[in-house]
Amino acid sequence: MTITLDSLEPALSVRQVLTLERVLAGEPEVVAGASHLDRPVRWVHVAEAADVGVMLSGGEMVLTTGVLLAGDEDKQAEYVRSLHRAEAAAVVLGLGRAFPAAPDVMRRAAERCGLPMVVLHRPFPFAELTEEVQSRLVRRKFAAVSLSEAVRTELTALITAGAPLQRLLDEVARHSACPVVVTNLAHRVLGTAGERPAVDDVLRDWERIARQAGGVEGDGWIRAELGGRGERWGRIVLCGYRGDTATGRLLADRAAEALVLHRMLAGGAACSWEEQSAQSLLTDLVSGVVPARQLLPRARAAGLPVNRRTFVPLVVRDGDPARLERLLRLLGLPGLVAELADGATAVLLSLPRDQDAGALAAHFATRLRTETGPDHPVVAAAEARAAWDDVPTGLREAQHVADAVSDSSAALDLPPVVRLKDVHLRGLIRLLRDDPHVQSFAERELDGLLRETDEDLLSVLRTYLATGRNKSRTAQLHHVSRPALYRRLEAIQVRLGVDLDDFEQAASVHIALLAHDAQQQ
């Protein structure tokens, strides 16, 4: 059975100890330090010696009858001060022959030190309280160790199976029941996990929150450093963890160990996590599955400036993502780079509104051409977007333009940045290829050929229209004689019921064929 944090017994505080049934039988009364009752109790210690503080290591609830302190107010005050110096959790005084009532000296000293002081009005066997608290603490520590081993085993198994970073973080979030964030040292978010609304709440103002919580753990923020061989390169943060801090640290440490191992097995490429983060964000933007507004916190946390910016969506065909990332840094252009499917790489530039977005995009594309030589990648772009909500549409438009310029030889005659207007009819068809009306039009116009599934005739038709209905060139490209080509063209016209010598009918078939080809890709 998997042990989760929800199944762990909460940490025992002084307040919780005082509510135990065995303690209530002693009629406890808090006489000092009432505002500090939430201190955690690490252990219970029975001690009568006046110098008990030297035997403590912090977090103990000390039980005493005060028999060695009676009659000496200096010893009483020093006893309390020594407990405070040793960072004891509380002192419990059993009233009886030594002290029939709470001694004022001890009470005042405890109040000044902020040390909870409790007196028991009825005789109480300390052994019972010690047994009760110790057994609860031991059970909790055993459960924490079991959790630690369970998490280590599960994460190691995932790493061995080649699981990606996201799968590991999902497992950590499941155990911690709170959002989990992995960042680099500059607080840039490399990965997140947890319930999406809770994660978005954390990311909404991530930079301020991260820097505010960066030095001190509190309010459920548990951090563990990522690194090795004396070098730190990131951290994992449990955000809003509801359990006790010690167990949270244990869980964060196990997660950190797993992430470091994951990085080592991946060849030590910490930047690959940044690439995965950008890829996830840009893929979600392009797909439109997640509304852009919901992705805004992730973009901001990933280091992309989003306030009062102009966004330039680019898609680079056959571009190396690492090269594009380096070029952005070299030119000082803020943006995200992520590899999409089919050899396309998305680049989202975020520019100040007072800069010329078109000129900067052209400068980026020109520098890319210079670096890559004659076989340069095609840089397709949509018009700049002033609103974040319009970015997904822009990315999809740039992707359509890149798809339309699939022939690199044709791209040599195009400008450095190719836009929809540069790819003319082919670009429009690519943009509209998923429209059901366009799909119906293509099927209706080409029905006579598609029904027969004659690829040879489709190929001849495609070449004939692409060459401007040049019969000699078409025959040459298909290695057939002119009479043989005439017979094939005649067969095509019969099956489609059109006259290819008629410009309007030929144009209609050409558009349908472009739409059909676009739908197949």
Side-chain angles (χ1 to χ4, degrees):
M1 180 183 68
T2 300
I3 301 174
T4 65
L5 295 181
D6 292 337
S7 66
L8 293 178
E9 190 174 340
L12 285 178
S13 64
V14 175
R15 190 187 309 277
Q16 290 170 320
V17 171
L18 297 181
T19 62
L20 297 178
E21 187 176 349
R22 292 185 180 182
V23 180
L24 291 174
E27 297 181 8
E29 178 189 0
V30 179
V31 297
S35 61
H36 300 278
L37 295 181
D38 291 320
R39 286 182 174 179
V41 176
R42 189 182 61 82
W43 208 243
V44 177
H45 193 72
V46 180
E48 300 292 354
D51 59 349
V52 64
V54 300
M55 297 180 284
L56 306 179
S57 57
E60 294 90 351
M61 173 178 277
V62 177
L63 312 179
T64 182
T65 63
V67 65
L68 299 181
L69 304 175
D72 191 331
E73 292 187 348
D74 290 340
K75 282 187 177 181
Q76 294 169 24
E78 178 56 27
Y79 183 83
V80 172
R81 288 193 294 268
S82 69
L83 293 180
H84 171 64
R85 288 192 298 268
E87 299 182 348
V91 58
V92 179
L93 176 65
L95 301 181
R97 286 179 298 174
F99 292 102
D104 287 340
V105 173
M106 293 182 68
R107 182 179 56 76
R108 288 195 299 270
E111 192 65 48
R112 284 194 299 270
C113 294
L115 176 71
M117 180 176 176
V118 181
V119 297
L120 300 175
H121 289 278
R122 295 178 61 87
F124 185 89
F126 285 165
E128 291 186 10
L129 174 58
T130 302
E131 179 184 5
E132 175 75 12
V133 176
Q134 311 297 51
S135 64
R136 286 174 179 262
L137 292 174
V138 168
R139 287 200 302 272
R140 185 194 164 278
K141 288 183 178 180
F142 175 76
V145 171
S146 298
L147 169 69
S148 173
E149 290 307 308
V151 171
R152 175 185 279 129
T153 300
E154 291 174 9
L155 294 181
T156 301
L158 289 173
I159 294 172
T160 304
L165 171 66
Q166 188 60 53
R167 183 67 184 86
L168 270 65
L169 296 182
D170 289 340
E171 191 67 19
V172 175
R174 185 175 70 82
H175 280 289
S176 64
C178 70
V180 175
V181 177
V182 174
T183 75
N184 61 16
L185 296 181
H187 304 292
R188 179 173 176 179
V189 174
L190 307 181
T192 63
E195 295 184 1
R196 197 71 254 168
V199 172
D200 288 344
D201 285 343
V202 169
L203 296 184
R204 194 158 283 113
D205 196 14
W206 169 255
E207 186 171 351
R208 181 188 64 80
I209 294 174
R211 294 187 185 281
Q212 179 177 326
V216 181
E217 288 185 350
D219 298 328
W221 286 71
I222 310 292
R223 301 181 305 118
E225 301 298 324
L226 303 176
R229 299 178 181 176
E231 178 188 4
R232 292 189 304 118
W233 43 267
R235 59 178 58 91
I236 182 170
V237 187
L238 309 186
C239 309
Y241 170 70
R242 294 187 296 272
D244 68 286
T245 301
T247 304
R249 284 200 193 101
L250 194 64
L251 178 59
D253 288 343
R254 295 294 83 79
E257 290 173 4
L259 296 185
V260 171
L261 177 60
H262 183 276
R263 179 195 173 192
M264 290 173 58
L265 294 178
C271 63
S272 66
W273 288 3
E274 298 183 9
E275 293 167 1
Q276 290 177 35
S277 174
Q279 183 175 29
S280 173
L281 173 62
L282 292 184
T283 300
D284 285 346
L285 278 170
V286 170
S287 69
V289 174
V290 182
R293 181 59 50 182
Q294 294 182 21
L295 296 173
L296 189 58
R298 286 170 58 188
R300 184 183 290 112
L304 186 73
V306 294
N307 295 329
R308 296 183 297 278
R309 309 293 285 192
T310 296
F311 302 100
V312 182
L314 306 174
V315 171
V316 182
R317 174 66 64 183
D318 300 323
D320 177 19
R323 179 191 293 273
L324 298 175
E325 186 78 48
R326 287 194 299 271
L327 184 56
L328 285 185
R329 289 196 296 267
L330 179 65
L331 299 178
L333 297 175
L336 295 179
V337 177
E339 187 172 8
L340 304 177
D342 301 325
T345 301
V347 179
L348 179 61
L349 301 181
S350 175
L351 307 173
R353 290 185 175 175
D354 60 353
Q355 294 186 351
D356 188 336
L360 288 175
H363 181 50
F364 169 78
T366 302
R367 284 293 299 268
L368 183 61
R369 279 192 174 191
T370 302
E371 288 190 5
T372 53
D375 296 328
H376 59 80
V378 173
V379 178
E383 293 302 320
R385 262 55 179 179
W388 173 258
D389 288 344
D390 295 333
V391 169
T393 303
L395 284 169
R396 286 193 290 272
E397 179 182 320
Q399 190 171 32
H400 285 308
V401 174
D403 289 343
V405 193
S406 56
D407 185 353
S408 60
S409 62
L412 292 174
D413 299 327
L414 292 171
V417 178
V418 186
R419 303 183 186 277
L420 195 59
K421 64 183 180 62
D422 298 313
V423 291
H424 306 294
L425 179 60
R426 186 180 297 273
L428 176 64
I429 295 301
R430 291 275 182 165
L431 190 62
L432 300 176
R433 65 180 177 181
D434 294 327
D435 187 298
H437 295 92
V438 174
Q439 294 172 353
S440 296
F441 170 76
E443 292 177 3
R444 183 173 62 252
E445 289 291 303
L446 300 175
D447 181 61
L449 289 180
L450 298 179
R451 197 183 324 128
E452 300 293 334
T453 64
D454 193 330
E455 289 297 328
D456 181 59
L457 291 183
L458 270 177
S459 178
V460 169
L461 176 62
R462 186 178 293 110
T463 304
Y464 179 63
L465 296 174
T467 58
R469 295 182 292 172
N470 187 319
K471 296 176 182 177
S472 297
R473 180 61 177 156
T474 302
Q476 181 183 12
L477 290 173
H478 282 270
H479 307 290
V480 297
S481 63
R482 292 280 295 266
L485 175 66
Y486 294 157
R487 288 193 294 272
R488 295 183 187 185
L489 290 177
E490 182 65 27
I492 291 171
Q493 293 182 100
V494 169
R495 294 190 183 185
L496 296 182
V498 298
D499 178 5
L500 292 179
D501 290 329
D502 181 88
F503 175 79
E504 183 174 340
Q505 295 184 51
S508 180
V509 171
H510 193 187
I511 292 171
L513 187 57
L514 289 175
H516 170 74
D517 289 344
Q519 292 160 14
Q520 305 307 307
Q521 297 179 1

